[in-house]
Amino acid sequence: MSLFKARDWWSTILGDKEEFDQGCLCLANVDNSGNGQDKIIVGSFMGYLRIFSPHPAKTGDGAQAEDLLLEVDLRDPVLQVEVGKFVSGTEMLHLAVLHSRKLCVYSVSGTLGNVEHGNQYQMKLMYEHNLQRTACNMTYGSFGGIKGRDLICIQSMDGMLMVFEQESYAFGRFLPGFLLPGPLAYSSRTDSFITVSSCRQVESYKYQVLAFATDADKRQETEQQILGSGKRLVVDWTLNIGEQALDICIVSFNQSASSVFVLGERNFFCLKDNGQIRFMKKLDWSPSCFLPYCSVSEGTINTLIANHNNMLHIYQDVTLKWATQLPHIPVAVRVGCLHDLKGVIVTLSDDGHLQCSYLGTDPSLFQAPNVESRELNYDELDVEMKELQKIIKDVNKSQGIWPMTEKEDDLNISVVVSPNFDSVSQATDVEVGTDLVPSVTVKVTLQNRVILQKAKLSVYVQPPLELTCDQFTFEFMTPDLTRTVSFSVYLKRSYTPSELEGNAVVSYSRPTDRNPDGIPRVIQCKFRLPLKLICLPGQPSKTASHKITIDTNKSPVSLLSLFPGFASQSDDDQVNVMGFHFLGGARVTLLASKTSQRYRIQSEQFEDLWLITNELILHLQEYFEKQGVKDFACSFSGSMPLQEYFELIDHHFELRINGENLEELLSERAVQFRAIQRRLLARFKDKTPAPLQHLDTLLDGTYKQVIALADAVEENQGSLFQSFTRLKSATHLVILLIGLWQKLSADQVAILEAAFLPLQEDTQELGWEETVDAAISHLLKTCLSKSSKEQALNLNSQLNIPKDTSQLKKHITLLCDRLAKGGRLCLSTDAAAPQTMVMPGGCTTIPESDLEERSVEQDSSELFTSHRHLTAETPRPEVSPLQGVSE
């Protein structure tokens, strides 16, 4: 074992489950900074390229965010990274990245950052070469004695050396007797390439010989190379080492002599320029990588050799000078100058452990601090702690997550929705059954206070509402400019949207003195579309399958005052019944009681009740606000319609399962189709014709099945999207009814909306059911938990599509039950209120006509299943029936 461990100066872990090899590490001043400090360049087989500049505050610190200068996903595996003069016309250093089928050369540059953002680094692609053969490794140097620039030589997996003179391809040559690729290095003193072949011998090829040999592109047959036709590629010298080589490194510290170092599986060789052995060292362990570097003693060379025993040995020629312990097995080792510290040893393991260390000992200078003798007053500490917690709690309540800044005044946005329809409808390609679909114009006005860059306006409305244009771009080159854009909104498909609210978002950059590119910012403004855009006056209906009743604390208001333009022609100003006909085909009836303070909404579809109910409450609030009434309130005292809600959930989930089955079946048919194609292709290529054995008929039938399944998948996706919109409408209605039923505050309703409506779009990978189930389970285990034991339960961090919806429906029912028993929704787990019994209000339905009088008693006793505390003996509040609809 080692006497001393390597002193950890800086370390980090790269990525998650990424792999690295000996060519993935490089140290150089890649950004050509004036201080000449080296940067650590690391590439991975996952395609990520990272550049580090470690600046630890003290020895042994881990990586900080500012240490990572650049991280880029190059999409292709990185086999090797090198830094050199790879661009013509300049002697600046550039970064060469070797992929399996591509060679890319980048320019890395840095700009001064703005405030706390730090300096910004970027990579610019100077040029790239697409390779015709799969690459293995590369080397670079001043081939042919050229001055001021570096050329690149790439070795392919089939033994071809491809030479690139910077932006242009020079030539390619095949190595004779090649079987498997080995390490490759270039000796500038002898102008030759050195590699280790599959014959376990070191081979040297002169660059001039390679340049004048037969071009690999002109070679027709492999036998010609064996027979020696044309100019043969002749080896300069060879040396049999009797084992495979892990790496080759050529060291030349003066012009008089250079050494070729070869690391074998069990031996370490040092060769002269002509291939003669200078010395060799037999190793007692299995090496993993090595690096020769200069020595303070003249005529000797120091070498770092790492092994699979987590050891790093330092040899001076063949004499062991130091042995140190590493925390990992390195596959690459480099030495450089980092942060004015010379001789830093940088090691990289195959799983991404990157460490900068140095040799030596680090004595412990720890001294035990003096113990304070004064006694602590715990009562004063408790009082101070409670005061601090109260201050923190007040700050969290009064402020949002993002601090408010004056920068919001950089740009003002306002949205105006036209009260009238467009004279000429802008609706195109609509799928609504009506003859004419109206459209309404929306005007957005932007006014800037300062110079802004890259201002982009994005407008979003709920589907199936459609915009004539949803993206706009502006440039505010001078202050106090006003820009106005207009677009139209219309209903595209034949079902009802879940909301009439739209959102206009502007993203822009505000330039500063230190950052000319600007700091990105976002501002938004919400607007509301008129109900008449998707709805027409309709004939009221006396009966309906689904009904809800909203109670108020004020006298009933004429529906004509609330919904002007939707009432039928009548001499009576006190209109108490009104019909709504949605463009998608749904019909909703709204009734106002003449004797009580109640309103009833009824329809054949449960989800269609949402928009009219929401519009009714909004119009009532606006009406009484104009009257100066401040204590207006709505409530809901009926039974929670969970059964109707669960039916919509089951239908949506059934479509998801059906889509999953269709996609699986389509994948099977596609595999079958490709297999038949391969069989047919083999028959057609056969020189001796053979019968097709009905493969063509089977191919045609499979093709028709694939087309039919693709159409079925597309149709199911459309049905799923429509079902998700209806489910969102029903969810909005359930949240509204729960808020009115339990008189929840705006913050509590916001928590319910975040739990029940977490997704804007439903997909097979992440669906509504599993997401909502996880959110509701979190509420039940935190703020709505009965005991601390429930709070201690951990939730599953993985969201997978469930087998059925029984668990979700059980949790929704339990959520309503906990709220009925006094539960309080909050974000902090320590504020869970005790579950006390609270009886809900009157649960009796209101009869609409004489035909329903007999069923009132039965309907009034139907509560959702969680309310087990209500019994048949519970007294019913007396309710005044509404007047029937007059024909």
Side-chain angles (χ1 to χ4, degrees), residues 164-203:
F164 295 90
E165 293 184 359
Q166 297 182 339
E167 290 88 348
S168 60
Y169 171 71
F171 58 85
R173 303 291 184 264
F174 280 98
L175 296 177
F178 182 86
L179 181 62
L180 293 174
L184 179 68
Y186 172 74
S187 174
S188 59
R189 187 172 179 275
T190 60
D191 192 24
S192 58
F193 296 99
I194 300 174
T195 184
V196 178
S197 67
S198 301
C199 300
R200 299 184 177 182
Q201 61 183 11
V202 183
E203 299 177 352

mmCIF file of all heavy atoms in Angstrom, residues 164-203:
data_model
loop_
_atom_site.group_PDB
_atom_site.id
_atom_site.type_symbol
_atom_site.label_atom_id
_atom_site.label_comp_id
_atom_site.label_asym_id
_atom_site.label_seq_id
_atom_site.Cartn_x
_atom_site.Cartn_y
_atom_site.Cartn_z
ATOM 1 N N PHE A 164 -5.170 15.333 -42.840
ATOM 2 C CA PHE A 164 -5.923 16.547 -43.143
ATOM 3 C C PHE A 164 -5.006 17.750 -42.947
ATOM 4 O O PHE A 164 -4.422 17.935 -41.867
ATOM 5 C CB PHE A 164 -7.144 16.677 -42.227
ATOM 6 C CG PHE A 164 -8.178 15.604 -42.429
ATOM 7 C CD1 PHE A 164 -8.116 14.423 -41.697
ATOM 8 C CD2 PHE A 164 -9.192 15.759 -43.349
ATOM 9 C CE1 PHE A 164 -9.057 13.433 -41.868
ATOM 10 C CE2 PHE A 164 -10.137 14.775 -43.531
ATOM 11 C CZ PHE A 164 -10.070 13.616 -42.802
ATOM 12 N N GLU A 165 -4.878 18.538 -44.004
ATOM 13 C CA GLU A 165 -4.132 19.788 -43.916
ATOM 14 C C GLU A 165 -5.117 20.888 -43.567
ATOM 15 O O GLU A 165 -5.603 21.641 -44.417
ATOM 16 C CB GLU A 165 -3.420 20.078 -45.228
ATOM 17 C CG GLU A 165 -2.304 19.081 -45.551
ATOM 18 C CD GLU A 165 -1.562 19.437 -46.806
ATOM 19 O OE1 GLU A 165 -1.924 20.458 -47.442
ATOM 20 O OE2 GLU A 165 -0.615 18.707 -47.164
ATOM 21 N N GLN A 166 -5.443 20.930 -42.299
ATOM 22 C CA GLN A 166 -6.390 21.887 -41.732
ATOM 23 C C GLN A 166 -7.745 21.782 -42.433
ATOM 24 O O GLN A 166 -8.417 20.761 -42.316
ATOM 25 C CB GLN A 166 -5.793 23.295 -41.770
ATOM 26 C CG GLN A 166 -4.533 23.381 -40.907
ATOM 27 C CD GLN A 166 -3.913 24.741 -40.859
ATOM 28 O OE1 GLN A 166 -4.137 25.560 -41.724
ATOM 29 N NE2 GLN A 166 -3.113 24.997 -39.830
ATOM 30 N N GLU A 167 -8.168 22.752 -43.244
ATOM 31 C CA GLU A 167 -9.515 22.734 -43.806
ATOM 32 C C GLU A 167 -9.668 21.788 -44.989
ATOM 33 O O GLU A 167 -10.783 21.603 -45.493
ATOM 34 C CB GLU A 167 -9.928 24.149 -44.261
ATOM 35 C CG GLU A 167 -10.173 25.133 -43.118
ATOM 36 C CD GLU A 167 -8.902 25.842 -42.698
ATOM 37 O OE1 GLU A 167 -7.825 25.389 -43.154
ATOM 38 O OE2 GLU A 167 -8.977 26.804 -41.921
ATOM 39 N N SER A 168 -8.594 21.197 -45.469
ATOM 40 C CA SER A 168 -8.680 20.352 -46.652
ATOM 41 C C SER A 168 -8.149 18.955 -46.358
ATOM 42 O O SER A 168 -7.303 18.771 -45.476
ATOM 43 C CB SER A 168 -7.904 20.969 -47.820
ATOM 44 O OG SER A 168 -6.537 21.106 -47.474
ATOM 45 N N TYR A 169 -8.665 17.985 -47.112
ATOM 46 C CA TYR A 169 -8.231 16.598 -46.987
ATOM 47 C C TYR A 169 -7.027 16.393 -47.913
ATOM 48 O O TYR A 169 -7.070 16.731 -49.102
ATOM 49 C CB TYR A 169 -9.383 15.665 -47.376
ATOM 50 C CG TYR A 169 -9.003 14.205 -47.494
ATOM 51 C CD1 TYR A 169 -8.697 13.466 -46.354
ATOM 52 C CD2 TYR A 169 -8.962 13.567 -48.723
ATOM 53 C CE1 TYR A 169 -8.366 12.126 -46.447
ATOM 54 C CE2 TYR A 169 -8.632 12.234 -48.828
ATOM 55 C CZ TYR A 169 -8.336 11.511 -47.685
ATOM 56 O OH TYR A 169 -8.006 10.193 -47.780
ATOM 57 N N ALA A 170 -5.918 15.820 -47.340
ATOM 58 C CA ALA A 170 -4.685 15.652 -48.117
ATOM 59 C C ALA A 170 -4.660 14.300 -48.810
ATOM 60 O O ALA A 170 -4.707 14.213 -50.039
ATOM 61 C CB ALA A 170 -3.466 15.814 -47.204
ATOM 62 N N PHE A 171 -4.597 13.216 -48.039
ATOM 63 C CA PHE A 171 -4.532 11.892 -48.647
ATOM 64 C C PHE A 171 -4.864 10.848 -47.593
ATOM 65 O O PHE A 171 -4.963 11.147 -46.400
ATOM 66 C CB PHE A 171 -3.139 11.616 -49.242
ATOM 67 C CG PHE A 171 -2.019 11.720 -48.232
ATOM 68 C CD1 PHE A 171 -1.675 10.648 -47.433
ATOM 69 C CD2 PHE A 171 -1.310 12.913 -48.091
ATOM 70 C CE1 PHE A 171 -0.654 10.740 -46.508
ATOM 71 C CE2 PHE A 171 -0.283 13.008 -47.163
ATOM 72 C CZ PHE A 171 0.050 11.926 -46.366
ATOM 73 N N GLY A 172 -5.027 9.610 -48.053
ATOM 74 C CA GLY A 172 -5.275 8.488 -47.164
ATOM 75 C C GLY A 172 -4.462 7.287 -47.589
ATOM 76 O O GLY A 172 -4.310 7.012 -48.790
ATOM 77 N N ARG A 173 -3.882 6.569 -46.622
ATOM 78 C CA ARG A 173 -3.041 5.408 -46.910
ATOM 79 C C ARG A 173 -3.423 4.261 -45.967
ATOM 80 O O ARG A 173 -3.669 4.474 -44.775
ATOM 81 C CB ARG A 173 -1.558 5.735 -46.709
ATOM 82 C CG ARG A 173 -1.041 6.908 -47.538
ATOM 83 C CD ARG A 173 -0.989 6.558 -49.022
ATOM 84 N NE ARG A 173 -0.411 7.653 -49.789
ATOM 85 C CZ ARG A 173 -1.120 8.585 -50.407
ATOM 86 N NH1 ARG A 173 -2.443 8.550 -50.322
ATOM 87 N NH2 ARG A 173 -0.526 9.534 -51.099
ATOM 88 N N PHE A 174 -3.407 3.052 -46.525
ATOM 89 C CA PHE A 174 -3.664 1.861 -45.722
ATOM 90 C C PHE A 174 -2.343 1.322 -45.185
ATOM 91 O O PHE A 174 -1.350 1.233 -45.920
ATOM 92 C CB PHE A 174 -4.351 0.786 -46.558
ATOM 93 C CG PHE A 174 -5.813 0.998 -46.717
ATOM 94 C CD1 PHE A 174 -6.326 1.592 -47.863
ATOM 95 C CD2 PHE A 174 -6.693 0.621 -45.713
ATOM 96 C CE1 PHE A 174 -7.676 1.786 -48.015
ATOM 97 C CE2 PHE A 174 -8.047 0.806 -45.851
ATOM 98 C CZ PHE A 174 -8.540 1.388 -47.002
ATOM 99 N N LEU A 175 -2.334 0.951 -43.896
ATOM 100 C CA LEU A 175 -1.159 0.338 -43.306
ATOM 101 C C LEU A 175 -1.070 -1.127 -43.757
ATOM 102 O O LEU A 175 -2.083 -1.835 -43.769
ATOM 103 C CB LEU A 175 -1.220 0.414 -41.780
ATOM 104 C CG LEU A 175 -1.192 1.817 -41.179
ATOM 105 C CD1 LEU A 175 -1.325 1.744 -39.675
ATOM 106 C CD2 LEU A 175 0.070 2.562 -41.567
ATOM 107 N N PRO A 176 0.113 -1.605 -44.113
ATOM 108 C CA PRO A 176 0.244 -2.995 -44.588
ATOM 109 C C PRO A 176 0.064 -3.997 -43.456
ATOM 110 O O PRO A 176 0.485 -3.752 -42.316
ATOM 111 C CB PRO A 176 1.659 -3.037 -45.161
ATOM 112 C CG PRO A 176 2.395 -1.949 -44.447
ATOM 113 C CD PRO A 176 1.394 -0.863 -44.179
ATOM 114 N N GLY A 177 -0.566 -5.123 -43.765
ATOM 115 C CA GLY A 177 -0.748 -6.200 -42.790
ATOM 116 C C GLY A 177 -1.590 -5.817 -41.610
ATOM 117 O O GLY A 177 -1.381 -6.331 -40.502
ATOM 118 N N PHE A 178 -2.547 -4.927 -41.808
ATOM 119 C CA PHE A 178 -3.335 -4.397 -40.678
ATOM 120 C C PHE A 178 -4.430 -5.382 -40.269
ATOM 121 O O PHE A 178 -5.034 -6.040 -41.110
ATOM 122 C CB PHE A 178 -3.958 -3.064 -41.079
ATOM 123 C CG PHE A 178 -4.748 -2.421 -39.981
ATOM 124 C CD1 PHE A 178 -4.121 -1.613 -39.049
ATOM 125 C CD2 PHE A 178 -6.110 -2.646 -39.864
ATOM 126 C CE1 PHE A 178 -4.847 -1.027 -38.035
ATOM 127 C CE2 PHE A 178 -6.834 -2.070 -38.844
ATOM 128 C CZ PHE A 178 -6.198 -1.252 -37.933
ATOM 129 N N LEU A 179 -4.655 -5.482 -38.948
ATOM 130 C CA LEU A 179 -5.754 -6.286 -38.424
ATOM 131 C C LEU A 179 -6.606 -5.474 -37.455
ATOM 132 O O LEU A 179 -7.804 -5.317 -37.647
ATOM 133 C CB LEU A 179 -5.225 -7.547 -37.738
ATOM 134 C CG LEU A 179 -6.307 -8.477 -37.160
ATOM 135 C CD1 LEU A 179 -7.211 -8.987 -38.282
ATOM 136 C CD2 LEU A 179 -5.674 -9.635 -36.412
ATOM 137 N N LEU A 180 -5.967 -4.944 -36.401
ATOM 138 C CA LEU A 180 -6.677 -4.132 -35.406
ATOM 139 C C LEU A 180 -5.898 -2.840 -35.175
ATOM 140 O O LEU A 180 -4.663 -2.844 -35.203
ATOM 141 C CB LEU A 180 -6.822 -4.890 -34.077
ATOM 142 C CG LEU A 180 -7.732 -6.114 -34.086
ATOM 143 C CD1 LEU A 180 -7.656 -6.828 -32.748
ATOM 144 C CD2 LEU A 180 -9.170 -5.729 -34.401
ATOM 145 N N PRO A 181 -6.596 -1.728 -34.936
ATOM 146 C CA PRO A 181 -5.882 -0.462 -34.715
ATOM 147 C C PRO A 181 -5.187 -0.442 -33.354
ATOM 148 O O PRO A 181 -5.648 -1.053 -32.382
ATOM 149 C CB PRO A 181 -6.994 0.587 -34.789
ATOM 150 C CG PRO A 181 -8.224 -0.158 -34.390
ATOM 151 C CD PRO A 181 -8.058 -1.555 -34.898
ATOM 152 N N GLY A 182 -4.061 0.263 -33.296
ATOM 153 C CA GLY A 182 -3.316 0.438 -32.057
ATOM 154 C C GLY A 182 -3.087 1.911 -31.782
ATOM 155 O O GLY A 182 -3.537 2.784 -32.533
ATOM 156 N N PRO A 183 -2.379 2.241 -30.714
ATOM 157 C CA PRO A 183 -2.086 3.652 -30.420
ATOM 158 C C PRO A 183 -1.240 4.277 -31.525
ATOM 159 O O PRO A 183 -0.455 3.594 -32.202
ATOM 160 C CB PRO A 183 -1.347 3.585 -29.084
ATOM 161 C CG PRO A 183 -0.821 2.196 -28.997
ATOM 162 C CD PRO A 183 -1.799 1.331 -29.716
ATOM 163 N N LEU A 184 -1.388 5.595 -31.696
ATOM 164 C CA LEU A 184 -0.723 6.310 -32.779
ATOM 165 C C LEU A 184 -0.111 7.591 -32.226
ATOM 166 O O LEU A 184 -0.756 8.297 -31.446
ATOM 167 C CB LEU A 184 -1.724 6.635 -33.899
ATOM 168 C CG LEU A 184 -1.191 7.402 -35.102
ATOM 169 C CD1 LEU A 184 -0.213 6.536 -35.902
ATOM 170 C CD2 LEU A 184 -2.353 7.864 -35.994
ATOM 171 N N ALA A 185 1.145 7.883 -32.634
ATOM 172 C CA ALA A 185 1.824 9.096 -32.198
ATOM 173 C C ALA A 185 2.686 9.621 -33.340
ATOM 174 O O ALA A 185 3.051 8.881 -34.266
ATOM 175 C CB ALA A 185 2.682 8.840 -30.956
ATOM 176 N N TYR A 186 3.045 10.930 -33.272
ATOM 177 C CA TYR A 186 3.865 11.563 -34.311
ATOM 178 C C TYR A 186 5.143 12.084 -33.681
ATOM 179 O O TYR A 186 5.116 12.742 -32.634
ATOM 180 C CB TYR A 186 3.097 12.700 -34.965
ATOM 181 C CG TYR A 186 3.941 13.530 -35.906
ATOM 182 C CD1 TYR A 186 4.313 13.039 -37.161
ATOM 183 C CD2 TYR A 186 4.382 14.796 -35.535
ATOM 184 C CE1 TYR A 186 5.092 13.798 -38.022
ATOM 185 C CE2 TYR A 186 5.156 15.564 -36.387
ATOM 186 C CZ TYR A 186 5.518 15.064 -37.627
ATOM 187 O OH TYR A 186 6.297 15.815 -38.471
ATOM 188 N N SER A 187 6.281 11.786 -34.339
ATOM 189 C CA SER A 187 7.592 12.275 -33.901
ATOM 190 C C SER A 187 8.010 13.402 -34.829
ATOM 191 O O SER A 187 8.229 13.192 -36.030
ATOM 192 C CB SER A 187 8.615 11.137 -33.929
ATOM 193 O OG SER A 187 9.906 11.651 -33.631
ATOM 194 N N SER A 188 8.077 14.608 -34.272
ATOM 195 C CA SER A 188 8.422 15.770 -35.101
ATOM 196 C C SER A 188 9.901 15.757 -35.497
ATOM 197 O O SER A 188 10.271 16.293 -36.547
ATOM 198 C CB SER A 188 8.096 17.053 -34.333
ATOM 199 O OG SER A 188 8.819 17.106 -33.107
ATOM 200 N N ARG A 189 10.750 15.144 -34.670
ATOM 201 C CA ARG A 189 12.185 15.163 -34.973
ATOM 202 C C ARG A 189 12.506 14.283 -36.176
ATOM 203 O O ARG A 189 13.316 14.653 -37.037
ATOM 204 C CB ARG A 189 12.979 14.698 -33.751
ATOM 205 C CG ARG A 189 14.484 14.841 -33.930
ATOM 206 C CD ARG A 189 15.214 14.546 -32.636
ATOM 207 N NE ARG A 189 16.651 14.664 -32.815
ATOM 208 C CZ ARG A 189 17.444 13.696 -33.272
ATOM 209 N NH1 ARG A 189 16.916 12.525 -33.577
ATOM 210 N NH2 ARG A 189 18.728 13.880 -33.427
ATOM 211 N N THR A 190 11.861 13.122 -36.277
ATOM 212 C CA THR A 190 12.105 12.230 -37.415
ATOM 213 C C THR A 190 11.017 12.323 -38.472
ATOM 214 O O THR A 190 11.115 11.654 -39.504
ATOM 215 C CB THR A 190 12.198 10.773 -36.916
ATOM 216 O OG1 THR A 190 10.949 10.419 -36.277
ATOM 217 C CG2 THR A 190 13.332 10.616 -35.930
ATOM 218 N N ASP A 191 9.975 13.172 -38.216
ATOM 219 C CA ASP A 191 8.858 13.351 -39.148
ATOM 220 C C ASP A 191 8.271 11.994 -39.549
ATOM 221 O O ASP A 191 8.168 11.642 -40.729
ATOM 222 C CB ASP A 191 9.329 14.112 -40.396
ATOM 223 C CG ASP A 191 8.130 14.562 -41.242
ATOM 224 O OD1 ASP A 191 7.028 14.700 -40.665
ATOM 225 O OD2 ASP A 191 8.294 14.751 -42.453
ATOM 226 N N SER A 192 7.856 11.231 -38.537
ATOM 227 C CA SER A 192 7.328 9.897 -38.801
ATOM 228 C C SER A 192 6.204 9.580 -37.823
ATOM 229 O O SER A 192 6.112 10.166 -36.735
ATOM 230 C CB SER A 192 8.439 8.840 -38.680
ATOM 231 O OG SER A 192 9.030 8.886 -37.397
ATOM 232 N N PHE A 193 5.347 8.648 -38.248
ATOM 233 C CA PHE A 193 4.249 8.165 -37.406
ATOM 234 C C PHE A 193 4.655 6.825 -36.800
ATOM 235 O O PHE A 193 5.205 5.968 -37.485
ATOM 236 C CB PHE A 193 2.977 7.987 -38.236
ATOM 237 C CG PHE A 193 2.447 9.271 -38.795
ATOM 238 C CD1 PHE A 193 2.716 9.640 -40.103
ATOM 239 C CD2 PHE A 193 1.697 10.124 -38.009
ATOM 240 C CE1 PHE A 193 2.239 10.824 -40.622
ATOM 241 C CE2 PHE A 193 1.203 11.305 -38.512
ATOM 242 C CZ PHE A 193 1.484 11.670 -39.822
ATOM 243 N N ILE A 194 4.357 6.661 -35.516
ATOM 244 C CA ILE A 194 4.739 5.444 -34.794
ATOM 245 C C ILE A 194 3.474 4.821 -34.226
ATOM 246 O O ILE A 194 2.662 5.501 -33.588
ATOM 247 C CB ILE A 194 5.751 5.757 -33.685
ATOM 248 C CG1 ILE A 194 7.016 6.373 -34.296
ATOM 249 C CG2 ILE A 194 6.097 4.500 -32.902
ATOM 250 C CD1 ILE A 194 8.017 6.846 -33.281
ATOM 251 N N THR A 195 3.310 3.543 -34.452
ATOM 252 C CA THR A 195 2.152 2.808 -33.960
ATOM 253 C C THR A 195 2.596 1.413 -33.560
ATOM 254 O O THR A 195 3.750 1.007 -33.793
ATOM 255 C CB THR A 195 1.043 2.749 -35.014
ATOM 256 O OG1 THR A 195 -0.099 2.099 -34.461
ATOM 257 C CG2 THR A 195 1.502 1.989 -36.245
ATOM 258 N N VAL A 196 1.694 0.673 -32.953
ATOM 259 C CA VAL A 196 1.929 -0.726 -32.572
ATOM 260 C C VAL A 196 0.885 -1.563 -33.286
ATOM 261 O O VAL A 196 -0.315 -1.364 -33.109
ATOM 262 C CB VAL A 196 1.860 -0.924 -31.050
ATOM 263 C CG1 VAL A 196 2.060 -2.391 -30.707
ATOM 264 C CG2 VAL A 196 2.889 -0.074 -30.341
ATOM 265 N N SER A 197 1.333 -2.489 -34.105
ATOM 266 C CA SER A 197 0.438 -3.276 -34.937
ATOM 267 C C SER A 197 -0.081 -4.488 -34.173
ATOM 268 O O SER A 197 0.310 -4.767 -33.035
ATOM 269 C CB SER A 197 1.168 -3.731 -36.204
ATOM 270 O OG SER A 197 2.187 -4.653 -35.869
ATOM 271 N N SER A 198 -0.958 -5.253 -34.854
ATOM 272 C CA SER A 198 -1.486 -6.474 -34.256
ATOM 273 C C SER A 198 -0.433 -7.562 -34.146
ATOM 274 O O SER A 198 -0.644 -8.552 -33.434
ATOM 275 C CB SER A 198 -2.667 -6.977 -35.099
ATOM 276 O OG SER A 198 -3.680 -5.997 -35.172
ATOM 277 N N CYS A 199 0.702 -7.406 -34.845
ATOM 278 C CA CYS A 199 1.809 -8.356 -34.711
ATOM 279 C C CYS A 199 2.637 -8.105 -33.451
ATOM 280 O O CYS A 199 3.695 -8.726 -33.271
ATOM 281 C CB CYS A 199 2.713 -8.258 -35.944
ATOM 282 S SG CYS A 199 1.869 -8.634 -37.484
ATOM 283 N N ARG A 200 2.174 -7.180 -32.618
ATOM 284 C CA ARG A 200 2.841 -6.849 -31.354
ATOM 285 C C ARG A 200 4.249 -6.292 -31.593
ATOM 286 O O ARG A 200 5.180 -6.590 -30.866
ATOM 287 C CB ARG A 200 2.898 -8.063 -30.431
ATOM 288 C CG ARG A 200 1.523 -8.576 -30.058
ATOM 289 C CD ARG A 200 1.608 -9.722 -29.075
ATOM 290 N NE ARG A 200 0.276 -10.152 -28.666
ATOM 291 C CZ ARG A 200 0.044 -11.113 -27.782
ATOM 292 N NH1 ARG A 200 1.065 -11.749 -27.219
ATOM 293 N NH2 ARG A 200 -1.181 -11.443 -27.459
ATOM 294 N N GLN A 201 4.372 -5.468 -32.631
ATOM 295 C CA GLN A 201 5.650 -4.833 -32.885
ATOM 296 C C GLN A 201 5.428 -3.342 -33.151
ATOM 297 O O GLN A 201 4.416 -2.943 -33.736
ATOM 298 C CB GLN A 201 6.366 -5.480 -34.069
ATOM 299 C CG GLN A 201 5.642 -5.415 -35.388
ATOM 300 C CD GLN A 201 6.377 -6.146 -36.490
ATOM 301 O OE1 GLN A 201 7.330 -6.883 -36.235
ATOM 302 N NE2 GLN A 201 5.957 -5.939 -37.731
ATOM 303 N N VAL A 202 6.376 -2.532 -32.681
ATOM 304 C CA VAL A 202 6.335 -1.095 -32.891
ATOM 305 C C VAL A 202 6.789 -0.821 -34.316
ATOM 306 O O VAL A 202 7.834 -1.327 -34.750
ATOM 307 C CB VAL A 202 7.234 -0.370 -31.871
ATOM 308 C CG1 VAL A 202 7.128 1.136 -32.041
ATOM 309 C CG2 VAL A 202 6.864 -0.778 -30.448
ATOM 310 N N GLU A 203 6.022 -0.010 -35.053
ATOM 311 C CA GLU A 203 6.325 0.285 -36.446
ATOM 312 C C GLU A 203 6.398 1.791 -36.647
ATOM 313 O O GLU A 203 5.605 2.542 -36.065
ATOM 314 C CB GLU A 203 5.257 -0.310 -37.373
ATOM 315 C CG GLU A 203 5.148 -1.822 -37.276
ATOM 316 C CD GLU A 203 4.034 -2.381 -38.148
ATOM 317 O OE1 GLU A 203 3.272 -1.558 -38.697
ATOM 318 O OE2 GLU A 203 3.924 -3.608 -38.270
#
